[in-house]
DNA sequence: CTGTTTGTTCGGCTCAATCCGAACAAACCA
DNA sequence: TGGTTTGTTCGGATTGAGCCGAACAAACAG
């Protein structure tokens, strides 16, 4: 087993992360930068990330800011040692997914639910349109609860909950 | 309660659907066309959708094809009555979400998992890189199972499973 | 068979996102 | 202090997605 093989394998996983990034509405560069940080033994600075990824300094600067804001990476402002800003990947993928649930999906579900409820109040009870909206509301109420609970469990707990549920 | 109010309320819900469409990686036009079909009493043809949405015929043609492929709307090829192709919205939102789970998320999780496992085989057991990958694999294995089970339950069942789970 | 209605495909326009390089700002070093 | 390294911000080039109108194809009506 050569270092080459190992490097190729790592590259494949990073490419997979690039793809996943797109699914989450991020750019491919964000996926790569996260991936490089994920496999880095310690923390990396912006010049090091430029070296590793081949992206321009400005790109790395912008992307790291975005990733930090979302919580995919952490800014280790080790102002003690040097001026360099150090970045570290959040390696607990489940934490990231929980954040996505809380920040995006839950928000999306809640705002939609608000709109639906408001619409339901405005539409008279005898209107034809009432029925589909009512149906929509009920599904979203279930969704709200599901997302809420799912974001509180760990991956293993969630799996357990679904596996042990019967009828 | 005037018809205007009712129309406004419906418009708000459709706008909300436009926004949701973006979250699912679809265009706003897809959200609107789905919304119009959702509130339509029966089925609508392409010329009718052009009239209702204001989009060009070509846009409606392309978007309806996409939405049909994904399963958000159904092609009622009522070749019996006339030549017109009729479209109907899939109003069971949970069915749609299950499809998204099955077709996209599950696929995404599985391909990632395959890549991770292949990488794990290539990296020797004593390598430093082994540990983070192993962690990643375990989370994704949980994810695979979660997505699989979640896509089999109804919204109410899923909610019930999470609510009744203890420890 | 001719004209009309419906639906798809094609090329082009517009706009937004991504990324780059250059300019700038700030901190460190000698 | 002057020079170097690091980080951010800005304007611009490139690319892709979304949408349109026109051309084309196909089915129906008279």
């Amino acid at each position: 087993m050569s270092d080459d093989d190992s490097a190729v394998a790592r590259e494949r996983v990073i490419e997979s992360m690039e793809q996943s990034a797109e699914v989450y509405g991020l750019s491919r560069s964000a996926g790569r930068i996260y991936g490089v940080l994920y496999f880095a033994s310690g923390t990396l600075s912006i010049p090091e990330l430029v070296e590793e990824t081949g992206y321009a300094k400005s790109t790395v600067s912008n992307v790291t800011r975005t990733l930090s804001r979302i919580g995919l990476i952490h800014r280790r402002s080790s102002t003690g040692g040097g001026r360099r800003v150090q970045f570290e990947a959040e390696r607990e993928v489940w934490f990231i997914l929980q954040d996505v649930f809380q920040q995006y999906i839950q928000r999306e579900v809640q705002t939609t639910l608000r709109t639906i409820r408001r619409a339901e109040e405005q539409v008279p009870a005898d209107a034809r349109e009432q029925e589909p909206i009512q149906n929509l509301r009920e599904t979203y109420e279930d969704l709200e609860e599901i997302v809420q609970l799912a974001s509180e469990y760990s991956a293993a707990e969630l799996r357990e909950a679904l596996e042990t549920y019967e009828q």
Side-chain angles (χ1 to χ4, degrees), chain A:
Chain A
M1 176 75 54
S2 69
D3 277 359
D4 271 0
D5 286 343
S6 173
V8 167
R10 200 190 62 162
E11 173 64 18
R12 292 285 166 279
V13 175
I14 291 180
E15 281 168 3
S16 174
M17 287 172 172
E18 283 180 333
Q19 185 145 1
S20 297
E22 284 189 322
V23 174
Y24 297 143
L26 298 173
S27 60
R28 297 186 68 83
S29 56
R32 171 153 299 267
I33 288 176
Y34 173 80
V36 167
L37 282 171
Y38 189 95
F39 288 111
S41 48
T43 63
L44 292 181
S45 65
I46 287 186
E48 288 166 337
L49 283 171
V50 169
E51 170 67 23
E52 291 283 329
T53 64
Y55 283 113
K57 199 173 48 158
S58 56
T59 302
V60 174
S61 174
N62 286 321
V63 171
T64 49
R65 182 150 41 89
T66 301
L67 289 177
S68 297
R69 186 166 45 78
I70 306 181
L72 271 128
I73 67 178
H74 301 289
R75 243 188 130 93
R76 298 272 177 252
S77 37
S78 60
T79 340
R83 194 190 165 285
R84 281 183 160 186
V85 182
Q86 298 290 115
F87 292 99
E88 182 176 14
E90 170 58 64
R91 289 194 180 75
E92 287 297 327
V93 176
W94 186 249
F95 288 170
I96 295 172
L97 292 177
Q98 282 181 318
D99 270 13
V100 171
F101 264 62
Q102 297 249 7
Q103 290 180 27
Y104 292 84
I105 302 185
Q106 200 163 58
R107 217 181 78 89
E108 168 71 16
V109 168
Q110 283 176 353
T111 59
T112 301
L113 198 46
R114 256 200 306 276
T115 304
I116 294 173
R117 285 184 174 138
R118 220 171 296 156
E120 220 174 11
E121 287 171 13
Q122 296 229 337
V123 176
D126 59 314
R128 299 270 163 66
E129 292 169 352
Q130 187 76 348
E131 194 198 325
I133 286 201
Q134 195 174 339
N135 200 324
L136 199 61
R137 178 178 53 75
E138 284 166 4
T139 302
Y140 265 83
E141 281 172 350
D142 285 338
L143 260 180
E144 185 183 35
E145 182 77 0
I146 289 167
V147 171
Q148 170 63 34
L149 290 173
S151 70
E152 291 172 358
Y153 290 145
S154 71
E157 283 171 343
L158 193 50
R159 177 178 180 169
E160 172 92 4
L162 297 184
E163 281 176 340
T164 58
Y165 177 69
E166 286 304 329
Q167 174 55 312

